[in-house]
Amino acid sequence: MKIHLNFVALEVNHLPAEGKDELDLIEGSNLDAALQALGLGDDKSYLTLLNDDSIPTSLRATTILADGDTLTLFSPIKGG
Amino acid sequence: MSWQGRVLRVNLTAGTCEGENINSEWALSFLGQRGLATKYMMAESDPAADPLSPANNLIFATGPLTGTPASTGGRYSVITKGALGGAIACSNSGGHFGAELKNAGWDIIIFEGRSEKPVYLFIDDDDAQLLDASALWGKSVWETEPAIKTLHQDPEIKIASIGVAGEKMVRYACVVNDLDRAAGRSGVGAVMGSKQLKAIAVRGNKGVQIKDMAGFLAAAAVSNKRIAESGSSKRLSQSGTIPMMNVTNSYGSLPTRNNQELQFDGIDTVNVQAMKAPRKSDGKANLKTNKACFACTIGCARVSQMDPDHFSLIERKNFPTVSGGLEYESGYSLGPMVGVTDIEAATYANYVCNEQGMDPISFGVTLSAAMELFETGALTEKETGGVKLNFGSAEALVTMVDLTGRGEGFGEELGLGSMRLCEKYGHPEFSMAVKGQEIPGYDGRAMQGMGLAYATSNRGACHLRASPYGDDFEHIRPEGKARIVIDTQDETGATDSAGICQFPGYTLEEISALLSAACDGDWSPENLNVVGERIWNLERQFNLAAGLTAADDTLPERMLKEPASSGAGKGRVCELDKMLPEYYELRGWDKEGQPTKETLKRLSLS
């Protein structure tokens, strides 16, 4: 299945290969697996949205992805 | 040491300037800047006074780390009763003015009364005098600063001043220093204007004494290394705060068109990518470079260059095209909040806010309220002077920022702020404000902790009085927010009182190490937490004495009753009713939001 990717305000060292906007995963993969496939591992310095839903880090391992989902990764930055 | 130990008391009614020793007992309990000045306000200024009356004192205050080599150690604050909602105001600024004031040998300046004619305060180390500012009255900040430097033949003088907006007592007028750094919020510039005080000009040559310089430099080296290596510092240096625009838009917490929407369909025209993209007209990008305040090792400030052919500049041929650029808050309030997709128009409006001394957050949010009043028919072209105040109109933004900055035409009404404007035109629910102060760029439906932070902020809606960002971007639920908001409110109370900026993300341990080497006192991390909590409760006491009640700890009706239409918070309202009772209980306050006797005794406030 294909997952659409969206990277928002991430630091350079948290970005996977440049230009990557889709990810191929096997059916039934969870969010953790997607992050592992991106080489991001268990890093908590970024947060995740699955489609429009915020997914806490504690639920990454139990959140199952579906074909066509959009995964957004972003930094929890402060404004000013 | 580290404090200069001196207070400059200026009685504007009598025209006198007198030096006195700082109350060192208060300094050891309230640290400096925000905390210490609030203590002076509570002791000497009537909280019930009209903020624009002579009875309201106005204080400029530095902290013990201001003027030291600690990274970002150049901060000062303006403390008074605010002009927007009558709550305690503490507005913090960087640049170089604060360090210069400290180097002149003063920790705090207290202004009392009201001058009969326009004056400015000139400080040359110990020498302080009030000088005639009649020739400066009616001039912008950008005219006032060079005029004073020319008059005194000294380009190194540092100046904090008001523009015409402050003179006209626009309710959200600010104090601007170094041309584009500002004590921006709560209308402290309107209070300054009410006193006919145009500017403070300072030349300082004394230096700041450090108790243990070797220990201080060692502590600074540790924190500076951590700051230099942190990802957030690098991002702030490279892009400022405006990358937040993409984050809140993705998350669905970006206030758009007066919070009727929470994601902006024109995001690509006003975000960080838009700032950095070459323009079609001249091939240059809006973002020119960054710059830093005194002793800062980050350099988050943006410097923009406008398109010289933009329509806003047609009749302003001598207007500077290069100046302080959009940050996240000004970008949000002058872009998505008013629906404008023209980044040059938003940049122009931001320039004018600096030129005339206005808070761009409050101006943009007030204009967005006026746009909703206009689109619902409560306002017509008859009131606006023929201007169509539709969301998305860059022409309306440019016209109204000019009029408001000069206090002319419908700009005079916009200068009331959104609360008074919306009440006047029969729709108080259109005002996106708390305690009279307009909201920053986060909506409390997707970011529940920020909703609680807005509702409980002692100076009205504010994004710098608590830091619930990390948890808010993970968990959209009311549980646990009260603890996070309280803990970070207390931490920022200590940070804001030390003389440093919040952006390096100083830990209390780092601040403790710096303060312990710099000056006397118990500055353990544990005690700094207590100091922060003490300051928060003192501000609360001021507000209660000013007549504010638990009923003021609320949010715009829209955040409480209208479910979010999109984003991560879709279908939700801010559940303030669930968070606030827990907040009061954890604070040690009763159900009416009053600190209990036990709480006041524990904090040595009774």
Side-chain angles (χ1 to χ4, degrees):
Chain A
M1 62 181 182
K2 284 192 187 302
I3 305 297
H4 303 292
L5 300 172
N6 187 20
F7 303 103
V8 179
L10 286 186
E11 291 158 30
V12 174
N13 58 350
H14 289 148
L15 281 172
E18 192 174 347
K20 191 161 190 158
D21 57 9
E22 277 189 349
L23 185 64
D24 282 315
L25 291 170
I26 59 170
E27 294 290 334
S29 294
N30 61 34
L31 180 51
D32 235 0
L35 297 174
Q36 295 288 345
L38 289 168
L40 295 172
D42 194 27
D43 194 330
K44 292 184 173 55
S45 61
Y46 58 87
L47 301 172
T48 51
L49 277 171
L50 183 58
N51 303 318
D52 277 339
D53 294 326
S54 174
I55 308 296
T57 50
S58 58
L59 296 182
R60 287 176 182 176
T62 54
T63 300
I64 305 300
L65 306 178
D67 186 47
D69 276 348
T70 296
L71 174 61
T72 302
L73 277 68
F74 64 100
S75 294
I77 58 179
K78 285 180 69 171
Chain B
M1 284 191 184
S2 194
W3 298 281
Q4 300 288 32
R6 297 290 285 168
V7 174
L8 176 60
R9 189 175 294 278
V10 180
N11 189 305
L12 292 161
T13 306
T16 57
C17 302
E18 302 284 345
E20 63 188 48
N21 291 334
I22 203 168
N23 186 318
S24 55
E25 186 182 334
W26 290 355
L28 292 173
S29 295
F30 297 94
L31 189 49
Q33 205 160 322
R34 175 176 157 192
L36 184 55
T38 303
K39 179 62 180 173
Y40 273 95
M41 279 296 296
M42 194 69 185
E44 299 182 356
S45 190
D46 178 7
D50 182 324
L52 300 179
S53 75
N56 185 26
N57 285 0
L58 175 72
I59 300 179
F60 284 64
T62 64
L65 297 179
T66 307
T68 73
S71 180
T72 72
R75 309 295 295 189
Y76 78 98
S77 291
V78 184
I79 298 91
T80 187
K81 180 175 179 176
L84 273 169
I88 186 76
C90 172
S91 201
N92 187 306
S93 182
H96 296 259
F97 173 83
E100 195 78 9
L101 177 62
K102 184 80 174 284
N103 274 293
W106 304 102
D107 296 300
I108 288 178
I109 311 172
I110 301 174
F111 291 99
E112 304 168 335
R114 178 181 186 273
S115 175
E116 281 188 10
K117 62 179 184 180
V119 292
Y120 70 101
L121 176 66
F122 181 68
I123 298 172
D124 185 0
D125 287 343
D126 291 333
D127 183 33
Q129 51 186 320
L130 289 168
L131 300 174
D132 183 16
S134 299
L136 300 172
W137 207 249
K139 292 193 182 301
S140 71
V141 166
W142 289 0
E143 293 167 323
T144 298
E145 283 204 27
I148 291 176
K149 290 180 180 183
T150 300
L151 193 63
H152 292 274
Q153 287 294 290
D154 186 350
E156 294 304 315
I157 290 173
K158 302 298 184 288
I159 296 160
S161 67
I162 56 170
V164 175
E167 296 175 12
K168 296 286 183 78
M169 289 177 271
V170 167
R171 289 276 171 173
Y172 43 85
C174 61
V175 176
V176 181
N177 57 278
D178 304 288
L179 297 177
D180 58 21
R181 300 292 93 197
R185 304 232 67 196
S186 310
V188 296
V191 176
M192 190 160 160
S194 76
K195 297 183 175 304
Q196 300 220 75
L197 175 64
K198 180 67 178 176
I200 304 168
V202 186
R203 196 72 171 93
N205 298 289
K206 290 190 163 188
V208 176
Q209 298 297 310
I210 302 290
K211 184 178 72 174
D212 169 13
M213 183 54 94
F216 184 86
L217 291 176
V222 171
S223 50
N224 285 359
K225 183 172 185 294
R226 195 266 308 156
I227 294 164
E229 292 173 351
S230 85
S232 65
S233 293
K234 290 172 185 164
R235 182 175 49 241
L236 284 166
S237 177
Q238 291 165 2
S239 301
T241 55
I242 206 154
M244 177 63 93
M245 190 90 79
N246 288 334
V247 172
T248 50
N249 189 64
S250 297
Y251 201 65
S253 58
L254 173 61
T256 300
R257 299 183 183 93
N258 210 32
N259 291 64
Q260 295 178 93
E261 301 153 64
L262 299 173
Q263 291 175 310
F264 186 41
D265 46 12
I267 186 71
D268 292 341
T269 63
V270 289
N271 59 9
V272 63
Q273 289 82 4
M275 265 188 103
K276 292 182 175 180
R279 285 187 289 257
K280 288 179 182 173
S281 55
D282 61 0
K284 295 178 179 174
N286 178 285
L287 178 61
K288 186 175 177 66
T289 187
N290 68 323
K291 68 174 182 177
C293 301
F294 179 89
C296 177
T297 55
I298 299 173
C300 75
R302 302 296 90 190
V303 177
S304 281
Q305 59 180 352
M306 279 190 67
D307 180 351
D309 293 325
H310 188 257
F311 77 86
S312 60
L313 301 179
I314 290 173
E315 293 182 9
R316 302 204 67 181
K317 294 301 178 191
N318 296 320
F319 194 73
T321 55
V322 176
S323 189
L326 295 170
E327 318 287 351
Y328 172 64
E329 299 300 343
S330 51
Y332 125 78
S333 62
L334 305 171
M337 193 60 164
V338 288
V340 165
T341 56
D342 180 344
I343 198 168
E344 297 296 317
T347 303
Y348 175 80
N350 190 50
Y351 281 16
V352 173
C353 284
N354 287 329
E355 179 195 26
Q356 297 295 7
M358 291 191 293
D359 172 13
I361 299 177
S362 282
F363 167 73
V365 177
T366 301
L367 180 59
S368 76
M371 286 173 161
E372 188 167 2
L373 287 168
F374 186 84
E375 293 202 343
T376 55
L379 264 177
T380 68
E381 289 181 55
K382 183 181 172 189
E383 287 86 19
T384 66
V387 178
K388 290 182 169 58
L389 279 190
N390 293 107
F391 285 111
S393 171
E395 292 78 10
L397 173 64
V398 165
T399 300
M400 287 303 159
V401 77
D402 280 331
L403 288 174
T404 309
R406 297 196 303 265
E408 297 173 354
F410 187 68
E412 193 175 347
E413 302 236 46
L414 289 174
L416 295 170
S418 67
M419 178 180 74
R420 289 174 175 82
L421 181 79
C422 292
E423 282 174 358
K424 179 173 179 177
Y425 288 97
H427 288 278
E429 73 277 14
F430 290 172
S431 169
M432 296 301 119
V434 176
K435 300 184 178 81
Q437 177 157 288
E438 287 72 20
I439 63 161
Y442 313 89
D443 188 274
R445 286 166 282 191
M447 297 176 71
Q448 300 270 323
M450 190 58 82
L452 178 63
Y454 285 174
T456 58
S457 166
N458 286 323
R459 70 171 186 176
C462 177
H463 60 295
L464 295 168
R465 287 292 182 272
S467 189
Y469 300 88
D471 193 72
D472 271 1
F473 284 134
E474 271 210 300
H475 302 287
I476 307 179
R477 40 115 172 95
E479 291 80 16
K481 301 295 186 187
R483 184 78 267 164
I484 293 167
V485 168
I486 288 170
D487 287 349
T488 53
Q489 284 174 338
D490 293 347
E491 285 175 19
T492 58
T495 306
D496 289 347
S497 301
I500 49 178
C501 176
Q502 293 183 17
F503 277 5
Y506 276 113
T507 63
L508 289 183
E509 288 73 17
E510 289 174 327
I511 299 172
S512 170
L514 290 165
L515 286 171
S516 298
C519 53
D520 291 333
D522 172 9
W523 306 120
S524 65
E526 296 74 23
N527 193 45
L528 283 172
N529 246 327
V530 174
V531 169
E533 185 184 5
R534 182 180 296 130
I535 292 165
W536 193 265
N537 279 270
L538 181 68
E539 291 174 332
R540 182 73 176 185
Q541 284 183 298
F542 185 97
N543 283 349
L544 293 170
L548 276 73
T549 68
D552 295 295
D553 295 335
T554 189
L555 290 169
E557 190 177 295
R558 181 158 283 158
M559 286 189 206
L560 298 173
K561 293 185 176 175
E562 294 180 22
S565 57
S566 70
K570 185 176 181 179
R572 288 178 175 269
V573 296
C574 184
E575 297 181 77
L576 184 63
D577 56 334
K578 293 180 180 169
M579 297 184 282
L580 197 57
E582 184 187 8
Y583 177 92
Y584 283 179
E585 187 178 348
L586 291 172
R587 272 273 174 225
W589 296 355
D590 64 20
K591 290 180 179 174
E592 300 303 314
Q594 306 241 15
T596 63
K597 287 180 181 174
E598 294 75 21
T599 299
L600 294 177
K601 185 178 179 185
R602 177 172 59 80
L603 296 170
S604 305
L605 286 172
S606 54

